[in-house]
């Protein structure tokens, strides 16, 4: 169920960000260049259904962010995180707009002083999607989420991305570029 998954996702990301802030991680602007595609790699979700291009320096964070995510990548040294959580449309009794509303409400309800930006209707690889920013804090850590919900033929997807609020401006272009590469794995590439 999306509500349980979102709560676990929020708590895991906040705990990871808290650890990194406490450990004094350093951010170096300019790495993960948006224009240097040679430093990017293709990654595929555990279920083999979706793929993304991510900076080569991002690490596989399998099981560290959410037990329900089928793809978890990021650069902990820069507080950049992304995870993919698919939900079968058949298993849910809601439409895409309702699904998006439930996901956003659940994420915001697990934060202090949450501010939900207006949801934008977008497309990712010609697939209907939404993008919503959510900022707030937990345990005095100020975080910024960009939550994408995507409707494919079979699934609703959550692409949950996160960073510290202090890193949001420099991180957002990279996150947008990564999420723009989301696509279903073609039948040819599965063989």
């Amino acid at each position: 169920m999306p509500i349980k998954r979102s709560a676990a996702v929020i708590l895991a990301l906040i705990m990871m960000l808290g650890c990194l802030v406490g450990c004094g991680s350093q951010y170096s602007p300019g790495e993960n260049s948006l224009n240097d595609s040679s430093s990017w790699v293709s990654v595929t979700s555990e279920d083999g259904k979706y793929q993304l291009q991510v900076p080569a320096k991002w690490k596989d964070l399998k099981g560290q962010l959410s037990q329900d995510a089928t793809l978890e990548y990021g650069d902990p040294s820069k507080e950049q995180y992304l995870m993919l959580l698919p939900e079968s449309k058949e298993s849910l009794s809601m439409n895409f707009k309702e699904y998006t509303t439930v996901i956003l409400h659940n994420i915001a309800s697990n934060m202090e002083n949450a501010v939900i930006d207006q949801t934008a209707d977008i497309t990712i690889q010609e697939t209907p999607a939404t993008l919503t920013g959510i900022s707030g804090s937990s345990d005095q850590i100020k975080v910024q989420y960009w939550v994408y919900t995507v409707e494919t033929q079979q699934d609703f997807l959550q692409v949950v991305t996160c960073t510290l609020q202090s890193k949001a401006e420099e991180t957002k272009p990279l996150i947008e570029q990564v999420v723009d590469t989301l696509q279903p794995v073609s039948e040819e590439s599965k063989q």
Side-chain angles (χ1 to χ4, degrees):
M1 176 146 193
I3 293 176
K4 283 186 179 179
R5 287 185 184 193
S6 294
V9 166
I10 300 306
L11 293 174
L13 283 173
I14 289 171
M15 289 187 327
M16 181 168 264
L17 285 168
C19 175
L20 290 169
V21 169
C23 296
S25 65
Q26 299 294 314
Y27 180 80
S28 301
E31 292 183 26
N32 292 338
S33 170
L34 297 175
N35 299 320
D36 183 8
S37 61
S38 67
S39 63
W40 288 59
V41 296
S42 180
V43 297
T44 302
S45 60
E46 287 178 9
D47 60 8
K49 293 169 68 174
Y50 303 100
Q51 65 184 22
L52 285 165
Q53 299 291 315
V54 300
K57 292 184 179 186
W58 278 22
K59 301 192 179 348
D60 185 348
L61 301 173
K62 182 180 176 180
Q64 295 180 42
L65 304 177
S66 169
Q67 297 303 318
D68 296 317
T70 61
L71 189 142
E72 301 169 83
Y73 273 81
D75 185 343
S77 70
K78 295 181 183 171
E79 292 95 12
Q80 299 168 342
Y81 303 97
L82 176 143
M83 71 186 98
L84 174 68
L85 296 108
E87 301 271 359
S88 169
K89 289 165 83 170
E90 288 182 6
S91 70
L92 301 172
S93 58
M94 60 182 75
N95 64 34
F96 183 59
K97 185 176 181 177
E98 294 166 332
Y99 175 78
T100 299
T101 300
V102 167
I103 297 304
L104 297 175
H105 172 77
N106 192 51
I107 291 172
S109 68
N110 285 289
M111 300 170 72
E112 299 163 11
N113 304 312
V115 176
I116 302 174
D117 297 339
Q118 185 169 346
T119 297
D121 292 324
I122 63 172
T123 57
I124 299 171
Q125 302 285 329
E126 301 179 18
T127 303
T130 66
L131 166 59
T132 309
I134 303 176
S135 58
S137 61
S138 181
D139 297 328
Q140 301 178 359
I141 299 168
K142 293 181 179 181
V143 293
Q144 173 67 50
Y145 287 89
W146 294 285
V147 180
Y148 296 80
T149 54
V150 183
E151 182 175 17
T152 69
Q153 288 185 346
Q154 297 176 339
D155 299 318
F156 291 139
L157 308 176
Q158 296 175 57
V159 182
V160 180
T161 66
C162 184
T163 193
L164 296 174
Q165 283 183 17
S166 62
K167 309 286 186 204
E169 188 175 322
E170 59 198 46
T171 300
K172 188 175 183 183
L174 177 65
I175 294 295
E176 289 174 339
Q177 187 172 6
V178 170
V179 174
D180 273 348
T181 69
L182 175 68
Q183 61 186 0
V185 173
S186 67
E187 289 302 317
E188 293 103 35
S189 62
K190 287 183 181 180
Q191 297 174 1

